[in-house]
Each structure stands twice: as C-alpha cells, then as structure tokens.
Amino acid sequence: MSDLQLKNRCIADWISCHETELIQTADYIFRHPELAYEEILSSRYLADYLRDKGFSISEQTAGIKTAFTAEWGNGKPVIGFLAEYDALAGVGHACGHNLLGTAVCAAACALKADMENPKASGTIRVYGCPAEEIMSGKIVMDKAGVFNDLDVAVTWHPFDRNRISNDIWQSQDIKNYTFHGISAHASKSPDEGRSALDAAELMNIGVNYLREHVSGDVRMHYAYIDNHIPANVVPDIAKTNYFIRSNKRSRTEDASRRVDNCARGAALMTGTTVDIELVKCCKEMKVNRPLTEIYYKAMTQIPTPEYTQDELNFAAEISKEAGFLNDGIYFSGLEPLEDTPVPISIGTDASEVSHTVPLITISAATMCKGTPLHHQAAAKQAGMSIGHKGMLYAARCMAEGTKLLIKDPENLDAVWAYHRTH
C-alpha cells in the first residue's frame, strides 16, 4: 500500500501497513553489525528508507561520514528524532540499535503521514547519529550546533520493560592513558628497562583502591588496549581506556581528576611518563517533567505487545540458560511514571543534547525481563520477533506522543519553561 493511500489513516495504521519492511530494515542492520564510525551500510540503509518515504537527505552531518539528516515539512515546530545504529564488538547488536534506528525512522514517517492530511505546519527531522557506544556521535553533532533550532528531540532505547525513561543517565568522561617507558630484554637486562605495563597496572590498582573513597554512584572501569608486545620484552608502551561516570557532572569531574592522579603517581613510581587524553565527556541527562507527562499520557492509550507461546517459551529458555531473575514473569504492560527522576548506572551521548533542547526518551521491551544490555541474550532477542514487537511499539509511542505534544502550542511553552529553569 502506498503512502498516498494511507493519507487518511492514523499513525497505528501506517506502522501496521509498513510492518514487514520495517522488520526487514531492522534485520538488515542486525545482520550487518558495524562498529562506531564504521556504520556505512546501516546509515545508508536508513537514509535510503527515509528518502523513499519523501524526506530530503543531507549526508555527513557535522562532518561525520556515517551521520545524516533527513528532513520533511517546513515551519515550526521543528521535531528532531535521534536514530542510532552502531553495534558492539563481539556481541553485535546487544544494545538493540538495529531496532532503535529503525523505530525512530518509523515514528518520523508515521508522524509525517498524519501531518499530511490535513496539511499541518511543522518540520520533522531524523538525525542519523553514529558512535553512541563510544559516547561520541551526538556530542560531536551537538557541538556543531545541528540541534540548536529544534523545539524538542525525541528518541528511545531498547530495554526489558515499557516505560517513560524518567531517568538520569550518567555524566561521563572517556579517557585514554598512554604510558611510555624504556624497552629492554626482560631476562638479560631488566634493570635497564622501565616498564610502561607496570605503570598501567599500578594505576589500575590505585583506581581500585580509590573506589572506596568516592560517592556510591561513581563508576570507574577500564580496559587494556593491546600493544602486541611479547612477555620477554620490557614494554615501553602501555595503553588503557577508562570510562568514569556518575549521576552529576561535578562528581564525575572530581573522580576523573583523582584517576588522573593515580596515573601520574604510577608513572612516578616506575620511572615512566604518561599522556592523558580526554576522548569525550558529557553531562548527565536533563529530565523534562512536562515532556515525560505528555508522552506518558500518550503511552497509556497504546496497547503493549502481546506474545505468542513460542516467544514465551524462548524467554523461559533463555532466562534459565543465562540465570536471569524474573520469577517467570517475562513481559508486562506499561509501568507507571515515577514521581521523581530515577538515577541509573548507564550513560548515553543523548544526555548532552538534553542540555541544548528538551529531550524525551521512551523505553520499550525488546527483551524479556532480567536481560542486561550488552549481553548475548539481548542480541538474540533484538534479531527476532520479541525485539521486533518492542520496536514497533516504540515507534508508535514516539509518534503518538509527539502528535499529542504539538497539538497544543501551550505544551511546548511549558516544556521550554521547564527546560530553562531546571
């Protein structure tokens, strides 16, 4: 059925009529997982989909080769939908970004169809945002000013339940620490060497002791970056990558300075030097209460997915296999909106956008309860009907919520008043 034939249909009908092609889109991205800034096929597929649906496409937004901007309409309000599509090393789409980007495109297209009849003023944009998993794409785009003229930004994230994301996602620093030493034969003349690896290990020990003396919401985790130096050589270089997080920017900055001091101290102890690189940083999520209430109201009118016996059996099997704690309750309906924002121990580069313009995030169940993000079980469900159902539900929630938001100009006034004062 063509878009022209759908002009008199509602958002739910548009999504239903395009369900097959939306699932095909999500599955294509799932089968072609691409890491941060390498999402050539994924970004092109989504951009081509939107072009086919009547959006104009601008490529390489903010100078990023795998970013794009799709636009339809004119005038105010300007609604920005934020799509993601990068995968994780080793576990593919275990964060469900194949579903995330597809649902965002579906929501934008469904809202476009609704606004076309009768013709309504307004501009819909879809931003193809790469490299979320390394906390980068949206931060680069935000610094370039691409979101500045939005009235509101809309996105969602796959989770194990259906709710408004009334969450304070964490402020983060991402840093690289590179230690430089002196190489030598590890057996014949170790005294002539100065081990960069020793320095990196001592730094990590210092950070592990530091954990006792930071706020409970602070998270510090690291990984070695492989230097390909054999054990019989005193390594003259060692690299680590750190994520330092908390629910408040000031606490993140404090912990980050103290981690830097652990690195400097380790270098001093080992006779090495250290280079400290701040790769990316972002603030914590700025939650907008009027926005959460409007989108929650819309979500109360949208039925949550129903599951077949085969899907429930799959959830039971994977829960047993992985040891998920869900007491046999694998899926549920819409969760109530909390009275106050909820701090959570994960981060997203969308948080930076929330300080530029009001931003709403929806959560939808694309996996059974108890499934953690970045787990193989999350990836398995993102590539099957359980994930597809959550994706289609999220698309409708974003579109219906945005329709309700822009229906009354006073809604946007309230949203912006809150944004400016909180």
Side-chain angles (χ1 to χ4, degrees):
M1 184 177 290
S2 70
D3 285 350
L4 183 63
Q5 292 172 302
L6 290 166
K7 287 182 70 172
N8 296 315
R9 301 292 189 92
C10 67
I11 285 169
D13 284 341
W14 191 97
I15 293 172
S16 178
C17 288
H18 291 79
E19 179 177 320
T20 298
E21 66 189 42
L22 291 169
I23 290 172
Q24 289 172 346
T25 300
D27 285 350
Y28 176 87
I29 298 172
F30 183 83
R31 293 192 305 271
H32 299 85
E34 298 168 300
L35 302 182
Y37 291 128
E38 299 174 7
E39 315 97 326
I40 302 295
L41 297 176
S42 302
S43 61
R44 182 186 302 144
Y45 204 96
L46 291 176
D48 287 346
Y49 183 86
L50 290 164
R51 184 183 289 108
D52 184 64
K53 294 294 183 282
F55 285 76
S56 62
I57 307 296
S58 300
E59 298 179 345
Q60 299 190 28
T61 300
I64 305 171
K65 68 177 181 179
T66 54
F68 67 85
T69 303
E71 182 171 299
W72 172 87
N74 57 77
K76 298 287 255 177
V78 183
I79 307 298
F81 290 92
L82 311 183
E84 299 169 17
Y85 33 79
D86 60 328
L88 291 153
V91 287
H93 279 291
C95 213
H97 290 184
N98 63 309
L99 307 171
L100 199 165
T102 304
V104 163
C105 293
C109 291
L111 183 64
K112 169 182 173 289
D114 187 80
M115 291 174 65
E116 283 177 321
N117 189 37
K119 184 69 173 178
S121 174
T123 303
I124 300 172
R125 289 197 197 130
V126 178
Y127 293 94
C129 304
E132 189 277 337
E133 293 295 357
I134 62 169
M135 287 295 299
S136 187
K138 296 184 198 68
I139 295 173
V140 175
M141 295 166 76
D142 185 66
K143 286 182 178 178
V146 302
F147 306 120
N148 287 355
D149 66 337
L150 295 181
D151 288 285
V152 69
V154 183
T155 192
W156 77 291
H157 203 284
F159 273 112
D160 64 347
R161 58 202 66 215
N162 305 304
R163 57 187 286 271
I164 286 289
S165 182
N166 187 32
D167 300 323
I168 302 174
W169 297 59
Q170 291 183 311
S171 162
Q172 299 189 73
D173 278 0
I174 302 176
K175 291 185 169 182
N176 289 331
Y177 296 87
T178 304
F179 291 90
H180 301 277
I182 301 172
S183 63
H185 193 288
S187 179
K188 183 177 183 296
S189 52
D191 54 305
E192 296 179 6
R194 297 294 181 266
S195 174
L197 180 60
D198 286 354
E201 291 192 303
L202 285 169
M203 175 196 172
N204 296 336
I205 290 169
V207 171
N208 287 332
Y209 276 104
L210 177 62
R211 297 180 196 280
E212 182 183 356
H213 305 288
V214 294
S215 299
D217 65 318
V218 172
R219 298 289 184 269
M220 301 173 290
H221 31 277
Y222 58 87
Y224 282 95
I225 301 173
D226 189 5
N227 299 307
H228 305 289
I229 297 174
N232 67 340
V233 176
V234 175
D236 63 347
I237 189 167
K239 300 180 181 180
T240 56
N241 173 249
Y242 264 79
F243 277 59
I244 305 160
R245 324 183 189 207
S246 80
N247 297 329
K248 192 73 175 175
R249 184 67 208 159
S250 59
R251 290 197 291 274
T252 298
E253 291 175 350
D254 176 69
S256 190
R257 284 191 294 268
R258 295 166 77 182
V259 171
D260 288 352
N261 286 335
C262 288
R264 296 187 184 104
L268 181 63
M269 284 189 286
T270 55
T272 62
T273 61
V274 63
D275 297 330
I276 301 172
E277 176 193 7
L278 177 61
V279 180
K280 285 291 180 297
C281 64
C282 76
K283 306 177 187 71
E284 70 278 4
M285 182 68 77
K286 186 174 182 178
V287 178
N288 189 296
R289 186 66 188 187
L291 263 184
T292 62
E293 291 177 349
I294 291 167
Y295 279 76
Y296 179 73
K297 181 179 179 181
M299 290 178 74
T300 62
Q301 306 303 309
I302 301 169
T304 52
E306 297 181 357
Y307 299 91
T308 66
Q309 191 59 52
D310 285 345
E311 290 164 343
L312 294 172
N313 290 342
F314 181 89
E317 291 170 8
I318 206 166
S319 294
K320 182 178 179 180
E321 177 184 319
F324 297 153
L325 301 177
N326 49 36
D327 297 323
I329 301 172
Y330 306 115
F331 305 98
S332 60
L334 176 65
E335 296 195 354
L337 176 62
E338 300 88 356
D339 293 331
T340 57
V342 181
I344 58 173
S345 296
I346 54 177
T348 173
D349 58 4
S351 294
E352 196 72 10
V353 182
S354 74
H355 290 262
T356 300
V357 297
L359 179 141
I360 185 71
T361 305
I362 286 167
S363 296
T366 63
M367 59 198 85
C368 66
K369 285 189 175 182
T371 307
L373 295 174
H374 297 192
H375 191 284
Q376 283 283 6
K380 288 180 180 178
Q381 293 172 88
M384 62 172 294
S385 57
I386 290 174
H388 299 154
K389 287 183 175 181
M391 173 188 75
L392 297 170
Y393 170 72
R396 184 177 174 190
C397 290
M398 286 186 285
E400 296 278 13
T402 306
K403 180 180 179 179
L404 184 61
L405 171 70
I406 64 179
K407 183 179 180 181
D408 187 346
E410 291 185 0
N411 287 338
L412 281 172
D413 291 341
V415 165
W416 271 96
Y418 191 94
H419 180 77
R420 294 187 182 103
T421 55
H422 288 76

